[in-house]
mmCIF file with all atom_site columns, all heavy atoms in Angstrom:
data_model
loop_
_atom_site.group_PDB
_atom_site.id
_atom_site.type_symbol
_atom_site.label_atom_id
_atom_site.label_alt_id
_atom_site.label_comp_id
_atom_site.label_asym_id
_atom_site.label_entity_id
_atom_site.label_seq_id
_atom_site.pdbx_PDB_ins_code
_atom_site.Cartn_x
_atom_site.Cartn_y
_atom_site.Cartn_z
_atom_site.occupancy
_atom_site.B_iso_or_equiv
_atom_site.pdbx_formal_charge
_atom_site.auth_seq_id
_atom_site.auth_comp_id
_atom_site.auth_asym_id
_atom_site.auth_atom_id
_atom_site.pdbx_PDB_model_num
ATOM 1   N N   . ASP A 1 24  ? 4.171   -30.975 -7.354  1.00 85.00 ? 158 ASP A N   1
ATOM 2   C CA  . ASP A 1 24  ? 4.968   -31.405 -6.187  1.00 85.00 ? 158 ASP A CA  1
ATOM 3   C C   . ASP A 1 24  ? 4.188   -30.984 -4.907  1.00 85.00 ? 158 ASP A C   1
ATOM 4   O O   . ASP A 1 24  ? 3.747   -29.853 -4.782  1.00 85.00 ? 158 ASP A O   1
ATOM 5   C CB  . ASP A 1 24  ? 6.330   -30.737 -6.243  1.00 85.00 ? 158 ASP A CB  1
ATOM 6   C CG  . ASP A 1 24  ? 7.249   -31.186 -5.143  1.00 85.00 ? 158 ASP A CG  1
ATOM 7   O OD1 . ASP A 1 24  ? 6.921   -32.188 -4.489  1.00 85.00 ? 158 ASP A OD1 1
ATOM 8   O OD2 . ASP A 1 24  ? 8.297   -30.508 -4.931  1.00 85.00 ? 158 ASP A OD2 1
ATOM 9   N N   . LYS A 1 37  ? -1.894  -16.424 3.313   1.00 88.00 ? 171 LYS A N   1
ATOM 10  C CA  . LYS A 1 37  ? -1.388  -15.108 3.659   1.00 88.00 ? 171 LYS A CA  1
ATOM 11  C C   . LYS A 1 37  ? -2.215  -14.019 3.049   1.00 88.00 ? 171 LYS A C   1
ATOM 12  O O   . LYS A 1 37  ? -2.507  -13.011 3.739   1.00 88.00 ? 171 LYS A O   1
ATOM 13  C CB  . LYS A 1 37  ? 0.064   -14.998 3.187   1.00 88.00 ? 171 LYS A CB  1
ATOM 14  C CG  . LYS A 1 37  ? 0.692   -13.627 3.546   1.00 88.00 ? 171 LYS A CG  1
ATOM 15  C CD  . LYS A 1 37  ? 1.810   -13.292 2.648   1.00 88.00 ? 171 LYS A CD  1
ATOM 16  C CE  . LYS A 1 37  ? 1.423   -12.951 1.250   1.00 88.00 ? 171 LYS A CE  1
ATOM 17  N NZ  . LYS A 1 37  ? 1.289   -11.601 0.883   1.00 88.00 ? 171 LYS A NZ  1
ATOM 18  N N   . MET A 1 38  ? -2.626  -14.156 1.803   1.00 84.00 ? 172 MET A N   1
ATOM 19  C CA  . MET A 1 38  ? -3.422  -13.114 1.141   1.00 84.00 ? 172 MET A CA  1
ATOM 20  C C   . MET A 1 38  ? -4.788  -13.001 1.817   1.00 84.00 ? 172 MET A C   1
ATOM 21  O O   . MET A 1 38  ? -5.267  -11.896 2.052   1.00 84.00 ? 172 MET A O   1
ATOM 22  C CB  . MET A 1 38  ? -3.584  -13.427 -0.338  1.00 84.00 ? 172 MET A CB  1
ATOM 23  C CG  . MET A 1 38  ? -2.352  -13.178 -1.153  1.00 84.00 ? 172 MET A CG  1
ATOM 24  S SD  . MET A 1 38  ? -2.586  -13.296 -2.916  1.00 84.00 ? 172 MET A SD  1
ATOM 25  C CE  . MET A 1 38  ? -2.889  -15.005 -3.131  1.00 84.00 ? 172 MET A CE  1
ATOM 26  N N   . CYS A 1 48  ? -7.186  -0.663  7.380   1.00 88.00 ? 182 CYS A N   1
ATOM 27  C CA  . CYS A 1 48  ? -6.302  0.519   7.437   1.00 88.00 ? 182 CYS A CA  1
ATOM 28  C C   . CYS A 1 48  ? -6.644  1.529   6.329   1.00 88.00 ? 182 CYS A C   1
ATOM 29  O O   . CYS A 1 48  ? -6.708  2.717   6.542   1.00 88.00 ? 182 CYS A O   1
ATOM 30  C CB  . CYS A 1 48  ? -4.852  0.105   7.334   1.00 88.00 ? 182 CYS A CB  1
ATOM 31  S SG  . CYS A 1 48  ? -4.276  -0.833  8.757   1.00 88.00 ? 182 CYS A SG  1
ATOM 32  N N   . GLY A 1 51  ? -9.959  3.239   7.071   1.00 90.00 ? 185 GLY A N   1
ATOM 33  C CA  . GLY A 1 51  ? -9.785  4.260   8.119   1.00 90.00 ? 185 GLY A CA  1
ATOM 34  C C   . GLY A 1 51  ? -9.144  5.541   7.565   1.00 90.00 ? 185 GLY A C   1
ATOM 35  O O   . GLY A 1 51  ? -9.527  6.654   7.909   1.00 90.00 ? 185 GLY A O   1
ATOM 36  N N   . ARG A 1 70  ? -22.991 9.444   12.475  1.00 91.00 ? 204 ARG A N   1
ATOM 37  C CA  . ARG A 1 70  ? -24.261 9.227   11.812  1.00 91.00 ? 204 ARG A CA  1
ATOM 38  C C   . ARG A 1 70  ? -24.109 8.555   10.424  1.00 91.00 ? 204 ARG A C   1
ATOM 39  O O   . ARG A 1 70  ? -24.813 7.667   10.082  1.00 91.00 ? 204 ARG A O   1
ATOM 40  C CB  . ARG A 1 70  ? -25.070 10.501  11.671  1.00 91.00 ? 204 ARG A CB  1
ATOM 41  C CG  . ARG A 1 70  ? -26.509 10.277  11.285  1.00 91.00 ? 204 ARG A CG  1
ATOM 42  C CD  . ARG A 1 70  ? -27.340 11.537  11.267  1.00 91.00 ? 204 ARG A CD  1
ATOM 43  N NE  . ARG A 1 70  ? -26.974 12.531  12.280  1.00 91.00 ? 204 ARG A NE  1
ATOM 44  C CZ  . ARG A 1 70  ? -26.585 13.769  11.983  1.00 91.00 ? 204 ARG A CZ  1
ATOM 45  N NH1 . ARG A 1 70  ? -26.521 14.179  10.751  1.00 91.00 ? 204 ARG A NH1 1
ATOM 46  N NH2 . ARG A 1 70  ? -26.258 14.597  12.944  1.00 91.00 ? 204 ARG A NH2 1
ATOM 47  N N   . ILE A 1 79  ? -16.960 2.681   0.942   1.00 91.00 ? 213 ILE A N   1
ATOM 48  C CA  . ILE A 1 79  ? -15.477 2.599   0.857   1.00 91.00 ? 213 ILE A CA  1
ATOM 49  C C   . ILE A 1 79  ? -15.026 1.157   0.597   1.00 91.00 ? 213 ILE A C   1
ATOM 50  O O   . ILE A 1 79  ? -14.184 0.889   -0.232  1.00 91.00 ? 213 ILE A O   1
ATOM 51  C CB  . ILE A 1 79  ? -14.802 3.201   2.075   1.00 91.00 ? 213 ILE A CB  1
ATOM 52  C CG1 . ILE A 1 79  ? -15.013 4.702   2.124   1.00 91.00 ? 213 ILE A CG1 1
ATOM 53  C CG2 . ILE A 1 79  ? -13.332 2.853   2.150   1.00 91.00 ? 213 ILE A CG2 1
ATOM 54  C CD1 . ILE A 1 79  ? -14.639 5.353   3.467   1.00 91.00 ? 213 ILE A CD1 1
ATOM 55  N N   . TRP A 1 83  ? -13.202 -0.207  -2.634  1.00 87.00 ? 217 TRP A N   1
ATOM 56  C CA  . TRP A 1 83  ? -11.886 -0.803  -2.433  1.00 87.00 ? 217 TRP A CA  1
ATOM 57  C C   . TRP A 1 83  ? -11.830 -2.177  -3.080  1.00 87.00 ? 217 TRP A C   1
ATOM 58  O O   . TRP A 1 83  ? -10.886 -2.500  -3.790  1.00 87.00 ? 217 TRP A O   1
ATOM 59  C CB  . TRP A 1 83  ? -11.594 -0.898  -0.922  1.00 87.00 ? 217 TRP A CB  1
ATOM 60  C CG  . TRP A 1 83  ? -10.239 -1.308  -0.571  1.00 87.00 ? 217 TRP A CG  1
ATOM 61  C CD1 . TRP A 1 83  ? -9.727  -2.603  -0.606  1.00 87.00 ? 217 TRP A CD1 1
ATOM 62  C CD2 . TRP A 1 83  ? -9.140  -0.472  -0.150  1.00 87.00 ? 217 TRP A CD2 1
ATOM 63  N NE1 . TRP A 1 83  ? -8.422  -2.577  -0.225  1.00 87.00 ? 217 TRP A NE1 1
ATOM 64  C CE2 . TRP A 1 83  ? -8.061  -1.310  0.067   1.00 87.00 ? 217 TRP A CE2 1
ATOM 65  C CE3 . TRP A 1 83  ? -9.045  0.866   0.105   1.00 87.00 ? 217 TRP A CE3 1
ATOM 66  C CZ2 . TRP A 1 83  ? -6.871  -0.830  0.532   1.00 87.00 ? 217 TRP A CZ2 1
ATOM 67  C CZ3 . TRP A 1 83  ? -7.846  1.352   0.522   1.00 87.00 ? 217 TRP A CZ3 1
ATOM 68  C CH2 . TRP A 1 83  ? -6.766  0.533   0.746   1.00 87.00 ? 217 TRP A CH2 1
ATOM 69  N N   . LEU A 1 92  ? -7.781  -7.913  -12.603 1.00 87.00 ? 226 LEU A N   1
ATOM 70  C CA  . LEU A 1 92  ? -8.190  -8.495  -13.883 1.00 87.00 ? 226 LEU A CA  1
ATOM 71  C C   . LEU A 1 92  ? -7.564  -7.821  -15.099 1.00 87.00 ? 226 LEU A C   1
ATOM 72  O O   . LEU A 1 92  ? -7.400  -8.445  -16.129 1.00 87.00 ? 226 LEU A O   1
ATOM 73  C CB  . LEU A 1 92  ? -9.750  -8.341  -13.996 1.00 87.00 ? 226 LEU A CB  1
ATOM 74  C CG  . LEU A 1 92  ? -10.578 -9.259  -13.086 1.00 87.00 ? 226 LEU A CG  1
ATOM 75  C CD1 . LEU A 1 92  ? -12.052 -8.890  -13.169 1.00 87.00 ? 226 LEU A CD1 1
ATOM 76  C CD2 . LEU A 1 92  ? -10.339 -10.713 -13.403 1.00 87.00 ? 226 LEU A CD2 1
ATOM 77  N N   . ASN A 1 93  ? -7.192  -6.560  -14.970 1.00 87.00 ? 227 ASN A N   1
ATOM 78  C CA  . ASN A 1 93  ? -6.640  -5.835  -16.105 1.00 87.00 ? 227 ASN A CA  1
ATOM 79  C C   . ASN A 1 93  ? -5.129  -5.711  -16.109 1.00 87.00 ? 227 ASN A C   1
ATOM 80  O O   . ASN A 1 93  ? -4.582  -5.157  -17.069 1.00 87.00 ? 227 ASN A O   1
ATOM 81  C CB  . ASN A 1 93  ? -7.275  -4.446  -16.158 1.00 87.00 ? 227 ASN A CB  1
ATOM 82  C CG  . ASN A 1 93  ? -8.736  -4.498  -16.497 1.00 87.00 ? 227 ASN A CG  1
ATOM 83  O OD1 . ASN A 1 93  ? -9.166  -5.310  -17.331 1.00 87.00 ? 227 ASN A OD1 1
ATOM 84  N ND2 . ASN A 1 93  ? -9.528  -3.709  -15.839 1.00 87.00 ? 227 ASN A ND2 1
ATOM 85  N N   . SER A 1 96  ? 0.749   -8.371  -16.199 1.00 79.00 ? 230 SER A N   1
ATOM 86  C CA  . SER A 1 96  ? 1.811   -9.149  -15.530 1.00 79.00 ? 230 SER A CA  1
ATOM 87  C C   . SER A 1 96  ? 2.017   -8.617  -14.097 1.00 79.00 ? 230 SER A C   1
ATOM 88  O O   . SER A 1 96  ? 1.714   -7.470  -13.794 1.00 79.00 ? 230 SER A O   1
ATOM 89  C CB  . SER A 1 96  ? 3.125   -9.035  -16.302 1.00 79.00 ? 230 SER A CB  1
ATOM 90  O OG  . SER A 1 96  ? 3.676   -7.768  -16.153 1.00 79.00 ? 230 SER A OG  1
ATOM 91  N N   . HIS A 1 102 ? 6.408   -3.031  -9.714  1.00 80.00 ? 236 HIS A N   1
ATOM 92  C CA  . HIS A 1 102 ? 6.977   -1.709  -9.901  1.00 80.00 ? 236 HIS A CA  1
ATOM 93  C C   . HIS A 1 102 ? 6.211   -0.652  -9.155  1.00 80.00 ? 236 HIS A C   1
ATOM 94  O O   . HIS A 1 102 ? 6.823   0.251   -8.555  1.00 80.00 ? 236 HIS A O   1
ATOM 95  C CB  . HIS A 1 102 ? 6.996   -1.346  -11.422 1.00 80.00 ? 236 HIS A CB  1
ATOM 96  C CG  . HIS A 1 102 ? 8.042   -2.143  -12.165 1.00 80.00 ? 236 HIS A CG  1
ATOM 97  N ND1 . HIS A 1 102 ? 9.379   -2.019  -11.964 1.00 80.00 ? 236 HIS A ND1 1
ATOM 98  C CD2 . HIS A 1 102 ? 7.870   -3.074  -13.141 1.00 80.00 ? 236 HIS A CD2 1
ATOM 99  C CE1 . HIS A 1 102 ? 10.044  -2.841  -12.783 1.00 80.00 ? 236 HIS A CE1 1
ATOM 100 N NE2 . HIS A 1 102 ? 9.140   -3.472  -13.502 1.00 80.00 ? 236 HIS A NE2 1
ATOM 101 N N   . SER A 1 108 ? 6.769   1.897   -1.775  1.00 83.00 ? 242 SER A N   1
ATOM 102 C CA  . SER A 1 108 ? 7.628   1.587   -0.672  1.00 83.00 ? 242 SER A CA  1
ATOM 103 C C   . SER A 1 108 ? 8.832   2.561   -0.616  1.00 83.00 ? 242 SER A C   1
ATOM 104 O O   . SER A 1 108 ? 9.280   2.931   0.468   1.00 83.00 ? 242 SER A O   1
ATOM 105 C CB  . SER A 1 108 ? 8.140   0.156   -0.744  1.00 83.00 ? 242 SER A CB  1
ATOM 106 O OG  . SER A 1 108 ? 8.988   -0.034  -1.871  1.00 83.00 ? 242 SER A OG  1
ATOM 107 N N   . ILE A 1 114 ? 10.727  9.408   1.442   1.00 87.00 ? 248 ILE A N   1
ATOM 108 C CA  . ILE A 1 114 ? 10.074  10.717  1.370   1.00 87.00 ? 248 ILE A CA  1
ATOM 109 C C   . ILE A 1 114 ? 9.299   11.008  2.663   1.00 87.00 ? 248 ILE A C   1
ATOM 110 O O   . ILE A 1 114 ? 9.500   12.079  3.252   1.00 87.00 ? 248 ILE A O   1
ATOM 111 C CB  . ILE A 1 114 ? 9.120   10.742  0.148   1.00 87.00 ? 248 ILE A CB  1
ATOM 112 C CG1 . ILE A 1 114 ? 9.977   10.610  -1.118  1.00 87.00 ? 248 ILE A CG1 1
ATOM 113 C CG2 . ILE A 1 114 ? 8.306   12.033  0.131   1.00 87.00 ? 248 ILE A CG2 1
ATOM 114 C CD1 . ILE A 1 114 ? 9.151   10.450  -2.378  1.00 87.00 ? 248 ILE A CD1 1
ATOM 115 N N   . PRO A 1 116 ? 9.363   9.841   5.850   1.00 88.00 ? 250 PRO A N   1
ATOM 116 C CA  . PRO A 1 116 ? 10.131  10.153  7.073   1.00 88.00 ? 250 PRO A CA  1
ATOM 117 C C   . PRO A 1 116 ? 10.848  11.528  7.019   1.00 88.00 ? 250 PRO A C   1
ATOM 118 O O   . PRO A 1 116 ? 10.925  12.198  8.031   1.00 88.00 ? 250 PRO A O   1
ATOM 119 C CB  . PRO A 1 116 ? 11.151  9.009   7.165   1.00 88.00 ? 250 PRO A CB  1
ATOM 120 C CG  . PRO A 1 116 ? 10.527  7.902   6.412   1.00 88.00 ? 250 PRO A CG  1
ATOM 121 C CD  . PRO A 1 116 ? 9.769   8.535   5.315   1.00 88.00 ? 250 PRO A CD  1
ATOM 122 N N   . ILE A 1 118 ? 9.734   14.190  5.411   1.00 87.00 ? 252 ILE A N   1
ATOM 123 C CA  . ILE A 1 118 ? 8.703   15.187  5.639   1.00 87.00 ? 252 ILE A CA  1
ATOM 124 C C   . ILE A 1 118 ? 8.379   15.262  7.133   1.00 87.00 ? 252 ILE A C   1
ATOM 125 O O   . ILE A 1 118 ? 8.242   16.386  7.670   1.00 87.00 ? 252 ILE A O   1
ATOM 126 C CB  . ILE A 1 118 ? 7.437   14.870  4.792   1.00 87.00 ? 252 ILE A CB  1
ATOM 127 C CG1 . ILE A 1 118 ? 7.741   15.062  3.321   1.00 87.00 ? 252 ILE A CG1 1
ATOM 128 C CG2 . ILE A 1 118 ? 6.248   15.715  5.232   1.00 87.00 ? 252 ILE A CG2 1
ATOM 129 C CD1 . ILE A 1 118 ? 6.638   14.556  2.387   1.00 87.00 ? 252 ILE A CD1 1
ATOM 130 N N   . PRO A 1 129 ? 11.212  27.031  15.852  1.00 74.00 ? 263 PRO A N   1
ATOM 131 C CA  . PRO A 1 129 ? 10.543  27.954  14.936  1.00 74.00 ? 263 PRO A CA  1
ATOM 132 C C   . PRO A 1 129 ? 11.519  28.895  14.202  1.00 74.00 ? 263 PRO A C   1
ATOM 133 O O   . PRO A 1 129 ? 11.156  29.455  13.166  1.00 74.00 ? 263 PRO A O   1
ATOM 134 C CB  . PRO A 1 129 ? 9.551   28.711  15.797  1.00 74.00 ? 263 PRO A CB  1
ATOM 135 C CG  . PRO A 1 129 ? 9.465   27.980  17.084  1.00 74.00 ? 263 PRO A CG  1
ATOM 136 C CD  . PRO A 1 129 ? 10.728  27.170  17.219  1.00 74.00 ? 263 PRO A CD  1
ATOM 137 N N   . ARG A 1 133 ? 11.582  29.650  7.186   1.00 67.00 ? 267 ARG A N   1
ATOM 138 C CA  . ARG A 1 133 ? 11.985  30.740  6.292   1.00 67.00 ? 267 ARG A CA  1
ATOM 139 C C   . ARG A 1 133 ? 10.908  31.797  6.254   1.00 67.00 ? 267 ARG A C   1
ATOM 140 O O   . ARG A 1 133 ? 9.712   31.533  6.285   1.00 67.00 ? 267 ARG A O   1
ATOM 141 C CB  . ARG A 1 133 ? 12.135  30.215  4.881   1.00 67.00 ? 267 ARG A CB  1
ATOM 142 C CG  . ARG A 1 133 ? 13.373  29.406  4.664   1.00 67.00 ? 267 ARG A CG  1
ATOM 143 C CD  . ARG A 1 133 ? 13.487  29.122  3.211   1.00 67.00 ? 267 ARG A CD  1
ATOM 144 N NE  . ARG A 1 133 ? 14.879  28.757  2.933   1.00 67.00 ? 267 ARG A NE  1
ATOM 145 C CZ  . ARG A 1 133 ? 15.291  28.310  1.787   1.00 67.00 ? 267 ARG A CZ  1
ATOM 146 N NH1 . ARG A 1 133 ? 14.434  28.192  0.791   1.00 67.00 ? 267 ARG A NH1 1
ATOM 147 N NH2 . ARG A 1 133 ? 16.537  28.004  1.598   1.00 67.00 ? 267 ARG A NH2 1
#
Side-chain angles (χ1 to χ4, degrees):
D158 186 13
K171 181 204 69 99
M172 286 188 292
C182 293
R204 192 174 326 121
I213 291 169
W217 188 282
L226 290 174
N227 292 321
S230 72
H236 289 294
S242 66
I248 297 171
I252 292 171
R267 285 188 160 174

